[in-house]
Amino acid sequence: MAKEKTLQDLFHDTLKDIYYAERKILKALPKMKRAAQSEELKAAFEKHREETEGQIERLQQVFELLGKRPQGKTCDAIEGIIAEGEEIMDEFKGTAAIDAGLISAAQAVEHYEIARYGTLKRWAETLGMKDAAKLLDETLQQEGKTDEDLTTLADKVANPAAMEKAA
Ligand SMILES: [Fe+2]
Ligand SMILES: [Fe+2]
């Protein structure tokens, strides 16, 4: 018979998933910054790269609270989301629509992270891991703010720039 698995096992597995994803994102953000045309978007990607370093440290603290060593587990979802972002970079490189495309790719990443951190935070609360829940919530708030800032940049800068040539 299969060994019984619990919410704690799910929590640990999902923690490994997002740990893997964050380290992938940390590597992808400088490429997105280079591909971006507007200084505002370059600055937004740089800011989020720095935040991501802190998020990885928070995850390491959560592993510690769980009594486990920090370890990643291949996350097919983030691989796919990042591959789609690279496709946009290839196909829209140097065009007026590149920033709008980069923002769409970045928002797919943020929404994946928001889904993961939302679940992890709730599981931590359920498991009575208050300190872990607090750490996960800090990152969840940061990802949500990043998503909102990207929407603002899309409205103010990237989408209008992408429209110009068609007008
Ligand atoms: Fe993140
Ligand atoms: Fe993020």
Side-chain angles (χ1 to χ4, degrees), residues 22 25 29 48 51-52 55 106 109-111 113 117 139 142-144 146:
E22 288 287 16
I25 294 161
L29 280 165
H48 201 48
E51 286 174 343
T52 299
Q55 294 174 353
V109 171
E110 293 316 306
H111 285 233
E113 293 181 295
Y117 281 108
T139 299
Q142 219 166 37
E143 307 292 20
T146 301

Side-chain angles (χ1 to χ4, degrees), residues 97-159:
I98 185 65
D99 284 6
L102 287 168
I103 290 175
S104 77
Q107 285 190 303
V109 171
E110 293 316 306
H111 285 233
Y112 180 72
E113 293 181 295
I114 289 165
R116 283 300 184 230
Y117 281 108
T119 298
L120 281 166
K121 178 198 163 184
R122 185 54 63 116
W123 282 345
E125 286 167 352
T126 305
L127 291 165
M129 299 179 65
K130 274 191 196 150
D131 293 343
K134 197 165 163 269
L135 289 162
L136 294 163
D137 183 61
E138 261 177 70
T139 299
L140 178 62
Q141 301 304 321
Q142 219 166 37
E143 307 292 20
K145 176 75 168 61
T146 301
D147 182 46
E148 281 172 24
D149 290 350
L150 287 168
T151 297
T152 303
L153 267 183
D155 287 345
K156 278 196 193 159
V157 183
N159 295 348

Side-chain angles (χ1 to χ4, degrees), residues 18-133:
I18 194 69
Y19 189 60
Y20 178 94
E22 288 287 16
R23 287 188 301 171
K24 274 270 159 184
I25 294 161
L26 188 65
K27 281 189 203 145
L29 280 165
K31 288 183 206 161
M32 295 175 78
K33 180 186 169 185
R34 275 198 298 277
Q37 257 168 11
S38 77
E39 286 308 315
E40 291 101 319
L41 188 56
K42 282 182 188 289
F45 285 146
E46 177 56 31
K47 179 180 177 226
H48 201 48
R49 193 197 60 76
E50 286 163 21
E51 286 174 343
T52 299
E53 285 179 348
Q55 294 174 353
I56 289 170
E57 281 169 24
R58 266 183 227 125
L59 286 174
Q60 289 165 347
Q61 290 176 51
V62 176
F63 275 109
E64 212 170 290
L65 288 166
L66 201 60
K68 308 277 188 190
R69 69 181 179 86
Q71 191 187 357
K73 181 183 179 186
T74 306
C75 167
D76 293 327
I78 205 69
E79 297 279 2
I81 290 169
I82 287 176
E84 282 192 359
E86 281 169 356
E87 212 176 291
I88 290 174
M89 282 191 250
D90 282 349
E91 291 174 10
F92 288 85
K93 192 179 177 187
T95 75
I98 185 65
D99 284 6
L102 287 168
I103 290 175
S104 77
Q107 285 190 303
V109 171
E110 293 316 306
H111 285 233
Y112 180 72
E113 293 181 295
I114 289 165
R116 283 300 184 230
Y117 281 108
T119 298
L120 281 166
K121 178 198 163 184
R122 185 54 63 116
W123 282 345
E125 286 167 352
T126 305
L127 291 165
M129 299 179 65
K130 274 191 196 150
D131 293 343

